């Protein structure tokens, strides 16, 4: 295993003309980018064997910075594009970088069906509770009551629990962590890459410039502190008195099971249809 | 089709079957689709045949996912296709634009049914002539083919796949409900005689590779994902390397490249059939299934001593403006027969506008039934 240093990270970045990046000060996306690169490097994956696919949104700008096979597709459809890549090159490690709006609103259908198929895709879902790129409209994960530019009177929509959604749809590896827990994040992303089946890592993240400002969540360090205190393990959650559980989110690996993987099932089907020597008479 | 020694026999095929077998002959090895009448047979046949040949078939959750998957599959190196009809074709428009913008080869088959909306799912129409050209947002050039027989459905499917590879774009193959479902005896070609366009692999070191190199011949060598080139693909305006740009000169260059690669190769792209046009004073313009009735009408009119001919573009877009102007330079009456509210009629009116003394008569039908030869003949006789 390669020792990961700042230098390693630079080996995975495209330096020609793409920096400075588009993300705001205090945004969590850079932390996720760093963790993803560390995960790929520590696993010793060849750059040529990794595809990074995204949709549209702040998080979806990630692929352009990374020296991998990168596809910045259209809004909501990253998982469907990735499905095509995986079907044609099943040996490729295909990951999707997406956000709460991209993956669970416009792309919700593709998310649940890829999970149902248990196709070996790794979804890195950065949940910042808002549409950041378009300036702060509410997403399916904007907490009820919160302010967004399209919920000026407070959000009346109930929210999605993304991990529950993925598990309900059949995802076989589901984990949640936050941008504060960077080491854990890297570990989960690594396990998601290794997992043979559909995997999703939800990363609770901070958007201080838009979501934070609209909802008076404080500056970037303040939002970091919030993640540290509120995104907690299941055992810490259990120890809390019920009245203190409000606003707490459980982090950890929520599901890790083995089920037949889609492209392997397809390969088996192809294998079973190959003409056998003794069957040449059509028997 | 499945056995080599059967390939030269006469076979009875349905139009949709011919498209599926044409795709296999052209080397399509990944198909993603979603069921919709009247195109479903194409997916059914490919779900049967592709796994037998080591290719991949997937039924996606909707048409948006289908077009997305075939673009992803194409970037990974496969020859890819999807098939749909009106409502699904509407859903695919964003993906079609993405494929054109990112110069990713793929083929979308649209077996037209009567619209708008759910319309008449089991009836023919030619209502998507304009949608196949302008359906996606923004300006982008289109290549659209439309056969008029089962045999041609087979041939033009191969051509569609080849043109997609050659011009690195999404090619649309139109068919219609009657063409898709009717059966005709077809002599399929020997597969060795089928011309297949293959992607040219780059032979430069990865650091020199430009996925969108401006190349006047437009046969740019192109890498696939996982082959050492690690290029970037985005629907944002991009430079030659594929990276986003908003510099106007780079955007201009990109838009010119997309436009010119079609505009400068119209001769290669256009296929057109003319029938009895030599001495014609009346010409019928019809495409697809309507051209069959038109041909019958021409023969009926000729028996009555009328000098009538037929022009039938097989390439709908780019529209063969110059060739058609030439054919129509001497005729007095042009009858445009089509199963819609006058989509080709408007094109003909526009391109023939420079000649004022020309009668252009629309013969339109959009009730889900075909135009009959007699209907066309009636219009021919009225005009005299």
């Amino acid at each position: 295993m390669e020792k990961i240093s700042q230098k390693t990270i630079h080996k995975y970045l495209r330096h020609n003309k793409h920096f400075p990046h588009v993300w705001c000060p205090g945004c969590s996306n850079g932390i996720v980018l760093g963790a993803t690169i560390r995960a790929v490097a520590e696993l010793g994956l060849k750059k040529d064997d990794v595809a990074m696919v995204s949709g549209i949104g702040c998080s979806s700008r990630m692929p352009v910075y990374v020296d991998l096979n990168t596809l910045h597709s259209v809004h909501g459809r990253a998982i469907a594009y990735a499905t095509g890549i995986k079907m044609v090159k099943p040996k490729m490690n295909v990951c999707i970088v997406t956000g709460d709006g991209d993956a669970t609103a416009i792309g919700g259908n593709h998310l649940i069906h890829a999970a149902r198929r248990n196709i070996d895709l790794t979804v890195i879902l950065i949940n910042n509770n808002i549409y950041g790129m378009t300036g702060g409209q509410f997403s399916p994960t904007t907490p009820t009551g919160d302010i967004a530019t399209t919920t000026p009177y407070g959000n009346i929509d109930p929210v999605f629990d993304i991990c529950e959604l993925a598990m309900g749809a059949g995802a076989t590896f589901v984990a949640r962590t936050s941008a504060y827990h960077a080491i854990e994040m890297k570990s989960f992303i690594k396990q998601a890459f290794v997992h043979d089946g559909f995997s999703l890592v939800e990363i609770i993240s901070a958007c201080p410039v838009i979501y934070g400002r609209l909802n008076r969540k404080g500056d970037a360090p303040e939002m970091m502190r919030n993640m540290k205190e509120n995104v907690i393990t299941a055992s810490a959650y259990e120890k809390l008195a019920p009245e203190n559980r409000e606003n707490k989110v459980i982090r950890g690996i929520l599901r890790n099971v083995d089920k037949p993987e889609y492209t392997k099932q397809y390969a088996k089907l192809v294998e079973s249809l190959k003409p056998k020597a003794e069957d040449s008479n059509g028997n | 089709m499945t056995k080599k020694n059967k390939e030269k026999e006469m076979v009875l095929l349905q139009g949709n079957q011919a498209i599926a077998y044409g795709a296999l002959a052209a080397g399509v090895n990944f198909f993603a689709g979603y069921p919709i009448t009247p195109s479903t047979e194409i997916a059914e046949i490919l779900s049967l045949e592709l796994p037998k040949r080591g290719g991949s078939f997937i039924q996606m959750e909707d048409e948006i996912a289908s077009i997305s998957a075939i673009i992803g599959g194409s970037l990974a190196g496969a020859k890819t296709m999807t098939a749909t009809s009106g409502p699904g074709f509407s859903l695919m428009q964003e993906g079609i634009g993405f494929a054109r913008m990112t110069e990713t080869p793929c083929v979308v088959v649209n077996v037209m049914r009567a619209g708008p909306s759910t319309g008449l799912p089991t009836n023919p129409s030619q209502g998507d002539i304009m949608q196949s050209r302008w359906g996606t947002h923004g300006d982008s050039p289109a290549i659209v083919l439309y056969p008029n027989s089962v045999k041609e459905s087979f041939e033009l499917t191969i051509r569609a796949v080849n043109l997609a590879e050659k011009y690195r774009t999404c090619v649309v193959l139109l068919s219609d409900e009657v063409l898709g479902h009717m059966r005709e005896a077809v002599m399929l070609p020997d597969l060795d005689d089928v011309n297949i366009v293959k992607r040219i692999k780059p032979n430069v070191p990865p650091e020199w590779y430009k996925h969108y190199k401006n190349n006047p011949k437009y046969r740019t060598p192109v890498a696939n994902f996982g082959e050492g080139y690690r290029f970037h693909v985005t629907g944002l305006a991009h430079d030659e390397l594929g990276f986003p740009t908003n510099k106007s000169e780079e955007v201009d260059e990109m838009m010119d490249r997309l436009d010119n690669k079609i505009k400068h190769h119209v001769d290669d792209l256009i296929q057109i059939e003319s029938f009895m046009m030599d001495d014609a004073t009346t010409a019928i313009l019809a495409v697809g299934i309507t051209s069959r009735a038109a041909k019958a009408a021409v023969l009926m009119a000729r028996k009555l001593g009328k000098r009538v001919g037929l022009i039938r573009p097989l390439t709908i877009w780019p529209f063969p403006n110059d060739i058609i102007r030439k054919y129509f330079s001497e005729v007095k009456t042009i009858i445009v027969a089509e199963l819609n509210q006058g989509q080709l009629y408007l094109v003909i009116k526009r391109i023939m506008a420079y000649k004022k003394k020309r009668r252009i008569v629309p013969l339109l039908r959009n009730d889900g039934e075909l135009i009959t030869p007699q209907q066309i003949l009636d219009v021919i006789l009225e005009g005299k």
Side-chain angles (χ1 to χ4, degrees):
Chain A
M1 195 182 88
E2 204 177 345
K3 194 176 172 327
I4 308 303
S5 66
Q6 205 62 26
K7 256 189 178 167
T8 320
I9 290 188
H10 282 284
K11 269 200 251 170
Y12 285 84
L13 294 177
R14 285 172 171 147
H15 290 276
N16 42 346
K17 85 176 207 177
H18 311 301
F19 290 92
H21 55 67
V22 296
W23 297 319
C24 306
C27 174
S28 301
N29 288 348
I31 303 170
V32 182
L33 171 60
T36 306
I37 289 175
R38 286 186 181 90
V40 169
E42 286 188 13
L43 288 169
L45 302 178
K46 268 180 65 187
K47 287 185 198 173
D48 288 334
D49 297 337
V50 185
M52 185 185 274
V53 186
S54 70
I56 297 292
C58 297
S59 55
S60 290
R61 284 303 186 97
M62 192 182 289
V64 73
Y65 306 121
V66 199
D67 187 21
L68 300 169
N69 302 283
T70 52
L71 169 57
H72 177 211
S73 75
V74 300
H75 197 21
R77 320 298 170 200
I79 293 174
Y81 280 83
T83 299
I85 296 171
K86 189 72 184 176
M87 287 300 286
V88 171
K89 288 223 159 91
K91 286 188 181 146
M92 197 169 235
N93 295 284
V94 184
C95 70
I96 293 111
V97 182
T98 180
D100 40 313
D102 194 46
T104 69
I106 186 169
N109 202 23
H110 312 305
L111 174 71
I112 58 174
H113 286 280
R116 173 179 61 81
R117 289 184 194 107
N118 195 33
I119 186 164
D120 184 20
L121 301 173
T122 300
V123 177
I124 300 165
L125 196 159
I126 307 175
N127 179 5
N128 65 355
N129 310 106
I130 201 92
Y131 285 88
M133 185 150 276
T134 45
Q137 299 72 36
F138 77 100
S139 86
T141 63
T142 303
T144 309
D146 275 8
I147 302 294
T149 59
T150 45
T151 53
Y153 307 111
N155 180 18
I156 61 166
D157 278 35
V159 299
F160 258 149
D161 180 325
I162 293 172
C163 290
E164 286 291 342
L165 175 70
M167 288 190 284
T172 47
F173 181 95
V174 176
R176 185 194 287 124
T177 185
S178 86
Y180 172 79
H181 303 90
I183 307 290
E184 183 178 79
M185 187 199 307
K186 180 195 70 182
S187 157
F188 288 173
I189 293 172
K190 271 170 83 174
Q191 291 176 69
F193 265 113
V194 172
H195 179 76
D196 191 19
F198 185 85
S199 48
L200 180 141
V201 182
E202 179 190 357
I203 295 150
I204 306 290
S205 73
C207 171
V209 170
I210 294 178
Y211 174 74
R213 189 167 48 84
L214 285 171
N215 290 286
R216 302 178 188 282
K217 297 283 181 189
D219 56 8
E222 179 65 27
M223 288 186 84
M224 265 298 176
R225 259 193 298 280
N226 274 334
M227 287 193 274
K228 180 187 176 185
E229 283 159 18
N230 292 328
V231 186
I232 58 175
T233 60
S235 58
Y237 184 82
E238 291 303 323
K239 283 175 201 154
L240 286 176
E243 64 271 22
N244 295 332
R245 287 179 182 174
E246 212 190 333
N247 297 329
K248 301 294 181 200
V249 180
I250 294 177
R251 66 186 163 87
I253 294 169
L254 306 175
R255 179 185 283 173
N256 187 4
V257 294
D258 282 330
K259 281 195 180 160
E261 192 276 325
Y262 192 79
T263 58
K264 292 210 168 61
Q265 292 298 102
Y266 190 83
K268 268 190 201 165
L269 170 71
V270 168
E271 195 57 38
S272 73
L273 293 170
K274 278 191 181 156
K276 296 182 183 80
E278 61 268 31
D279 274 5
S280 58
N281 297 327
N283 296 323
Chain B
M1 262 311 286
T2 50
K3 287 186 182 166
K4 270 244 158 188
N5 55 3
K6 277 199 174 171
E7 273 153 19
K8 281 208 164 170
E9 284 172 21
M10 200 68 124
V11 284
L12 187 66
L13 280 187
Q14 194 195 45
N16 282 345
Q17 264 179 315
I19 290 173
Y21 291 141
L24 294 169
V28 167
N29 52 355
F30 179 51
F31 180 97
Y34 185 81
I36 186 166
T37 303
S39 78
T40 310
E41 292 85 1
I42 299 168
E44 287 174 343
I45 294 163
L46 290 171
S47 74
L48 189 71
E49 295 296 333
L50 276 170
K52 284 198 246 171
R53 296 152 196 254
S56 297
F57 170 90
I58 188 167
Q59 182 172 311
M60 296 299 284
E61 51 274 15
D62 58 29
E63 286 90 346
I64 301 173
S66 303
I67 179 98
S68 303
I70 67 162
I71 297 169
S74 179
L75 287 167
K79 285 191 178 178
T80 63
M81 186 170 105
T82 187
T84 188
S85 186
F89 193 55
S90 294
L91 288 177
M92 288 182 184
Q93 292 303 327
E94 187 186 16
I96 290 171
F98 185 84
R100 288 182 192 159
M101 176 67 146
T102 61
E103 303 187 53
T104 309
C106 59
V107 173
V108 174
V109 179
N110 174 14
V111 186
M112 289 183 283
R113 65 192 226 185
S117 189
T118 314
L120 297 161
T122 56
N123 292 53
S125 133
Q126 299 179 317
D128 303 345
I129 300 271
M130 281 298 174
Q131 196 193 11
S132 67
R133 173 67 191 90
W134 299 109
T136 195
H137 59 277
D139 287 309
S140 63
I143 303 176
V144 181
L145 315 179
Y146 190 1
N148 82 345
S149 68
V150 171
K151 181 170 184 287
E152 235 177 54
S153 295
F154 180 85
E155 292 164 351
L156 287 196
T157 305
I158 297 171
R159 186 166 148 82
V161 176
N162 282 342
L163 291 178
E165 291 292 329
K166 192 172 177 183
Y167 292 97
R168 293 179 66 190
T169 190
C170 173
V171 174
V172 173
L173 178 76
L174 293 178
S175 179
D176 54 66
E177 189 278 329
V178 171
L179 201 51
H181 283 155
M182 74 182 184
R183 286 169 201 276
E184 289 182 295
V186 187
M187 181 87 85
L188 292 178
D190 194 327
L191 284 192
D192 297 333
D193 298 339
V194 174
N195 173 41
I196 302 289
V197 174
K198 285 191 180 135
R199 275 178 214 181
I200 305 169
K201 299 246 173 180
N203 55 4
V204 295
E207 58 273 25
W208 293 5
Y209 178 68
K210 288 177 174 172
H211 195 63
Y212 300 104
K213 191 170 160 46
N214 279 315
N215 177 348
K217 286 180 182 160
Y218 301 108
R219 289 288 282 134
T220 313
V222 56
N224 302 315
F225 277 174
E227 293 175 355
Y229 287 88
R230 298 198 301 274
F231 52 94
H232 183 64
V233 175
T234 177
L236 288 166
H238 45 265
D239 60 17
E240 281 186 294
L241 290 166
F243 295 125
T245 180
N246 49 15
K247 286 186 189 143
S248 60
E249 65 275 17
E250 286 179 340
V251 176
D252 209 31
E253 204 173 73
M254 179 200 75
M255 291 301 285
D256 280 350
R257 184 179 64 248
L258 293 179
D259 197 27
N260 289 343
K261 73 178 178 183
I262 307 297
K263 207 160 67 184
H264 291 173
H265 295 85
V266 170
D267 290 347
D268 181 40
L269 291 166
I270 296 295
Q271 274 189 319
I272 192 162
E273 183 196 354
S274 75
F275 180 66
M276 296 195 161
M277 281 298 294
D278 287 350
D279 62 341
T281 54
T282 296
I284 307 166
L285 183 118
V287 294
I289 194 67
T290 310
S291 67
R292 305 274 292 244
K295 199 174 242 180
V298 168
L299 294 171
M300 288 156 82
R302 287 275 169 181
K303 273 190 188 157
L304 300 172
K306 307 288 177 193
R307 292 193 290 166
V308 181
L310 165 71
I311 288 295
R312 171 176 76 99
L314 286 72
T315 307
I316 308 292
W317 304 108
F319 197 76
N321 297 350
D322 295 343
I323 301 173
I324 284 183
R325 276 197 195 107
K326 239 176 252 169
Y327 276 122
F328 288 172
S329 63
E330 300 306 321
V331 300
K332 296 197 170 69
T333 305
I334 301 163
I335 300 165
V336 184
E338 53 183 331
L339 300 175
N340 56 44
Q341 294 185 336
Q343 300 186 15
L344 285 174
Y345 171 65
L346 286 176
V347 177
I348 296 298
K349 262 203 352 191
R350 181 173 56 80
I351 68 171
M352 297 308 294
Y354 73 104
K355 287 224 172 187
K356 296 291 176 213
K357 282 186 178 172
R358 175 95 63 260
R359 275 183 75 229
I360 304 173
V361 186
L363 171 49
L364 311 174
R365 191 157 188 182
N366 61 349
D367 59 354
E369 297 296 328
L370 294 178
I371 293 173
T372 63
Q374 187 61 49
Q375 270 184 297
I376 301 173
L377 185 67
D378 289 348
V379 176
I380 295 168
L381 298 178
E382 269 167 34
K384 296 291 159 83

mmCIF file of all heavy atoms in Angstrom, chain B residues 4 6 27 32 85-86 93 107 136 142 150 162 215 224 233 276 296 300-301 310 320 338 344 358 375:
data_model
loop_
_atom_site.group_PDB
_atom_site.id
_atom_site.type_symbol
_atom_site.label_atom_id
_atom_site.label_comp_id
_atom_site.label_asym_id
_atom_site.label_seq_id
_atom_site.Cartn_x
_atom_site.Cartn_y
_atom_site.Cartn_z
ATOM 1 N N LYS B 4 -24.978 -18.830 -40.146
ATOM 2 C CA LYS B 4 -24.284 -18.230 -41.298
ATOM 3 C C LYS B 4 -24.872 -18.668 -42.633
ATOM 4 O O LYS B 4 -25.057 -17.871 -43.529
ATOM 5 C CB LYS B 4 -22.796 -18.598 -41.234
ATOM 6 C CG LYS B 4 -22.003 -17.561 -40.456
ATOM 7 C CD LYS B 4 -20.999 -16.877 -41.370
ATOM 8 C CE LYS B 4 -20.628 -15.525 -40.765
ATOM 9 N NZ LYS B 4 -19.824 -14.712 -41.646
ATOM 10 N N LYS B 6 -27.704 -19.439 -43.445
ATOM 11 C CA LYS B 6 -29.077 -18.991 -43.724
ATOM 12 C C LYS B 6 -29.104 -17.558 -44.250
ATOM 13 O O LYS B 6 -30.142 -17.076 -44.665
ATOM 14 C CB LYS B 6 -29.908 -19.066 -42.436
ATOM 15 C CG LYS B 6 -30.440 -20.463 -42.175
ATOM 16 C CD LYS B 6 -31.611 -20.403 -41.202
ATOM 17 C CE LYS B 6 -32.236 -21.780 -41.041
ATOM 18 N NZ LYS B 6 -33.214 -21.785 -39.969
ATOM 19 N N GLY B 27 -22.832 -4.397 -35.591
ATOM 20 C CA GLY B 27 -21.904 -4.547 -34.474
ATOM 21 C C GLY B 27 -22.375 -3.909 -33.179
ATOM 22 O O GLY B 27 -21.580 -3.718 -32.257
ATOM 23 N N ALA B 32 -29.822 -0.526 -24.421
ATOM 24 C CA ALA B 32 -30.595 -0.237 -23.220
ATOM 25 C C ALA B 32 -31.923 0.326 -23.674
ATOM 26 O O ALA B 32 -31.959 1.190 -24.548
ATOM 27 C CB ALA B 32 -29.864 0.777 -22.336
ATOM 28 N N SER B 85 -40.577 5.194 -28.957
ATOM 29 C CA SER B 85 -41.593 5.842 -29.778
ATOM 30 C C SER B 85 -41.917 7.190 -29.139
ATOM 31 O O SER B 85 -41.407 7.495 -28.060
ATOM 32 C CB SER B 85 -42.834 4.949 -29.874
ATOM 33 O OG SER B 85 -43.758 5.531 -30.776
ATOM 34 N N GLY B 86 -42.790 7.959 -29.777
ATOM 35 C CA GLY B 86 -43.072 9.339 -29.415
ATOM 36 C C GLY B 86 -42.833 9.776 -27.978
ATOM 37 O O GLY B 86 -41.918 10.567 -27.720
ATOM 38 N N GLN B 93 -34.842 13.561 -25.281
ATOM 39 C CA GLN B 93 -34.268 14.704 -25.983
ATOM 40 C C GLN B 93 -33.035 15.291 -25.302
ATOM 41 O O GLN B 93 -32.075 15.679 -25.960
ATOM 42 C CB GLN B 93 -35.320 15.791 -26.195
ATOM 43 C CG GLN B 93 -36.416 15.387 -27.188
ATOM 44 C CD GLN B 93 -35.882 14.987 -28.543
ATOM 45 O OE1 GLN B 93 -34.885 15.513 -29.003
ATOM 46 N NE2 GLN B 93 -36.528 14.030 -29.183
ATOM 47 N N VAL B 107 -27.136 5.378 -31.388
ATOM 48 C CA VAL B 107 -28.276 5.410 -32.303
ATOM 49 C C VAL B 107 -29.570 5.343 -31.503
ATOM 50 O O VAL B 107 -29.707 4.521 -30.599
ATOM 51 C CB VAL B 107 -28.217 4.238 -33.311
ATOM 52 C CG1 VAL B 107 -29.485 4.174 -34.149
ATOM 53 C CG2 VAL B 107 -26.996 4.380 -34.217
ATOM 54 N N THR B 136 -34.137 18.689 -29.059
ATOM 55 C CA THR B 136 -33.303 19.025 -27.911
ATOM 56 C C THR B 136 -33.005 20.515 -27.904
ATOM 57 O O THR B 136 -33.045 21.161 -28.953
ATOM 58 C CB THR B 136 -32.016 18.166 -27.909
ATOM 59 O OG1 THR B 136 -31.409 18.259 -26.617
ATOM 60 C CG2 THR B 136 -31.037 18.618 -28.974
ATOM 61 N N ALA B 142 -28.209 17.558 -36.722
ATOM 62 C CA ALA B 142 -28.769 16.223 -36.542
ATOM 63 C C ALA B 142 -28.561 15.384 -37.792
ATOM 64 O O ALA B 142 -28.522 15.908 -38.905
ATOM 65 C CB ALA B 142 -30.262 16.337 -36.257
ATOM 66 N N VAL B 150 -38.995 -2.934 -45.206
ATOM 67 C CA VAL B 150 -38.333 -3.780 -44.209
ATOM 68 C C VAL B 150 -36.855 -3.939 -44.568
ATOM 69 O O VAL B 150 -35.971 -3.836 -43.714
ATOM 70 C CB VAL B 150 -39.044 -5.152 -44.112
ATOM 71 C CG1 VAL B 150 -38.245 -6.112 -43.248
ATOM 72 C CG2 VAL B 150 -40.452 -4.960 -43.565
ATOM 73 N N ASN B 162 -23.122 3.146 -38.494
ATOM 74 C CA ASN B 162 -21.869 3.575 -39.127
ATOM 75 C C ASN B 162 -21.706 5.098 -39.102
ATOM 76 O O ASN B 162 -20.628 5.604 -38.802
ATOM 77 C CB ASN B 162 -21.815 3.095 -40.580
ATOM 78 C CG ASN B 162 -21.442 1.627 -40.674
ATOM 79 O OD1 ASN B 162 -20.914 1.063 -39.711
ATOM 80 N ND2 ASN B 162 -21.701 1.016 -41.806
ATOM 81 N N ASN B 215 -10.377 18.555 -36.421
ATOM 82 C CA ASN B 215 -9.786 17.805 -37.513
ATOM 83 C C ASN B 215 -10.697 17.966 -38.719
ATOM 84 O O ASN B 215 -11.852 17.548 -38.684
ATOM 85 C CB ASN B 215 -9.700 16.331 -37.078
ATOM 86 C CG ASN B 215 -9.159 15.446 -38.167
ATOM 87 O OD1 ASN B 215 -9.046 15.848 -39.324
ATOM 88 N ND2 ASN B 215 -8.833 14.226 -37.807
ATOM 89 N N ASN B 224 -11.530 5.293 -25.700
ATOM 90 C CA ASN B 224 -12.638 4.914 -24.833
ATOM 91 C C ASN B 224 -12.158 4.953 -23.389
ATOM 92 O O ASN B 224 -10.961 4.939 -23.123
ATOM 93 C CB ASN B 224 -13.112 3.500 -25.176
ATOM 94 C CG ASN B 224 -13.539 3.382 -26.627
ATOM 95 O OD1 ASN B 224 -14.248 4.236 -27.137
ATOM 96 N ND2 ASN B 224 -13.100 2.335 -27.285
ATOM 97 N N VAL B 233 -15.352 14.229 -20.099
ATOM 98 C CA VAL B 233 -16.521 14.446 -20.952
ATOM 99 C C VAL B 233 -17.525 15.275 -20.175
ATOM 100 O O VAL B 233 -17.871 14.935 -19.042
ATOM 101 C CB VAL B 233 -17.156 13.093 -21.354
ATOM 102 C CG1 VAL B 233 -18.436 13.318 -22.143
ATOM 103 C CG2 VAL B 233 -16.179 12.254 -22.162
ATOM 104 N N MET B 276 -39.300 8.356 -61.625
ATOM 105 C CA MET B 276 -40.012 8.904 -62.791
ATOM 106 C C MET B 276 -40.027 10.433 -62.801
ATOM 107 O O MET B 276 -41.046 11.056 -63.127
ATOM 108 C CB MET B 276 -41.443 8.356 -62.831
ATOM 109 C CG MET B 276 -41.455 6.858 -63.041
ATOM 110 S SD MET B 276 -43.086 6.255 -63.508
ATOM 111 C CE MET B 276 -42.674 4.668 -64.213
ATOM 112 N N ALA B 296 -47.197 4.247 -55.671
ATOM 113 C CA ALA B 296 -48.362 3.635 -56.311
ATOM 114 C C ALA B 296 -49.176 4.701 -57.064
ATOM 115 O O ALA B 296 -49.644 4.477 -58.185
ATOM 116 C CB ALA B 296 -49.222 2.942 -55.260
ATOM 117 N N MET B 300 -50.247 4.986 -61.037
ATOM 118 C CA MET B 300 -51.650 5.169 -61.444
ATOM 119 C C MET B 300 -51.786 6.399 -62.344
ATOM 120 O O MET B 300 -52.470 6.372 -63.373
ATOM 121 C CB MET B 300 -52.547 5.329 -60.196
ATOM 122 C CG MET B 300 -52.750 4.039 -59.406
ATOM 123 S SD MET B 300 -53.177 4.344 -57.662
ATOM 124 C CE MET B 300 -54.917 4.644 -57.763
ATOM 125 N N ALA B 301 -51.123 7.470 -61.960
ATOM 126 C CA ALA B 301 -51.207 8.715 -62.726
ATOM 127 C C ALA B 301 -50.560 8.556 -64.100
ATOM 128 O O ALA B 301 -51.060 9.085 -65.105
ATOM 129 C CB ALA B 301 -50.547 9.847 -61.956
ATOM 130 N N LEU B 310 -41.777 11.125 -58.229
ATOM 131 C CA LEU B 310 -41.694 11.083 -56.762
ATOM 132 C C LEU B 310 -40.262 11.370 -56.305
ATOM 133 O O LEU B 310 -39.312 10.856 -56.886
ATOM 134 C CB LEU B 310 -42.115 9.694 -56.258
ATOM 135 C CG LEU B 310 -41.765 9.342 -54.801
ATOM 136 C CD1 LEU B 310 -42.623 10.151 -53.827
ATOM 137 C CD2 LEU B 310 -41.957 7.854 -54.550
ATOM 138 N N PRO B 320 -32.006 17.475 -47.769
ATOM 139 C CA PRO B 320 -31.283 17.651 -49.046
ATOM 140 C C PRO B 320 -31.782 18.851 -49.849
ATOM 141 O O PRO B 320 -32.293 18.699 -50.966
ATOM 142 C CB PRO B 320 -31.544 16.329 -49.772
ATOM 143 C CG PRO B 320 -32.724 15.710 -49.117
ATOM 144 C CD PRO B 320 -32.856 16.274 -47.749
ATOM 145 N N GLU B 338 -47.784 13.752 -46.221
ATOM 146 C CA GLU B 338 -47.188 13.297 -44.964
ATOM 147 C C GLU B 338 -48.243 13.140 -43.875
ATOM 148 O O GLU B 338 -49.298 13.758 -43.918
ATOM 149 C CB GLU B 338 -46.088 14.263 -44.513
ATOM 150 C CG GLU B 338 -46.523 15.716 -44.441
ATOM 151 C CD GLU B 338 -45.378 16.653 -44.069
ATOM 152 O OE1 GLU B 338 -44.448 16.224 -43.374
ATOM 153 O OE2 GLU B 338 -45.444 17.841 -44.466
ATOM 154 N N LEU B 344 -42.910 18.641 -43.261
ATOM 155 C CA LEU B 344 -42.061 18.720 -44.459
ATOM 156 C C LEU B 344 -42.594 19.774 -45.437
ATOM 157 O O LEU B 344 -41.827 20.385 -46.175
ATOM 158 C CB LEU B 344 -41.987 17.352 -45.153
ATOM 159 C CG LEU B 344 -41.098 16.311 -44.478
ATOM 160 C CD1 LEU B 344 -41.239 14.968 -45.182
ATOM 161 C CD2 LEU B 344 -39.633 16.751 -44.472
ATOM 162 N N ARG B 358 -44.629 28.485 -58.341
ATOM 163 C CA ARG B 358 -44.714 27.038 -58.097
ATOM 164 C C ARG B 358 -45.890 26.752 -57.175
ATOM 165 O O ARG B 358 -46.057 27.422 -56.174
ATOM 166 C CB ARG B 358 -43.411 26.592 -57.419
ATOM 167 C CG ARG B 358 -43.339 25.200 -56.984
ATOM 168 C CD ARG B 358 -42.679 24.296 -57.982
ATOM 169 N NE ARG B 358 -41.265 24.630 -58.240
ATOM 170 C CZ ARG B 358 -40.866 25.309 -59.293
ATOM 171 N NH1 ARG B 358 -41.734 25.742 -60.163
ATOM 172 N NH2 ARG B 358 -39.601 25.555 -59.487
ATOM 173 N N GLN B 375 -56.004 8.824 -52.664
ATOM 174 C CA GLN B 375 -56.023 10.209 -52.152
ATOM 175 C C GLN B 375 -54.993 11.063 -52.878
ATOM 176 O O GLN B 375 -55.262 12.211 -53.236
ATOM 177 C CB GLN B 375 -55.671 10.216 -50.655
ATOM 178 C CG GLN B 375 -56.844 10.081 -49.723
ATOM 179 C CD GLN B 375 -56.377 10.212 -48.282
ATOM 180 O OE1 GLN B 375 -55.586 9.387 -47.819
ATOM 181 N NE2 GLN B 375 -56.846 11.240 -47.604
#
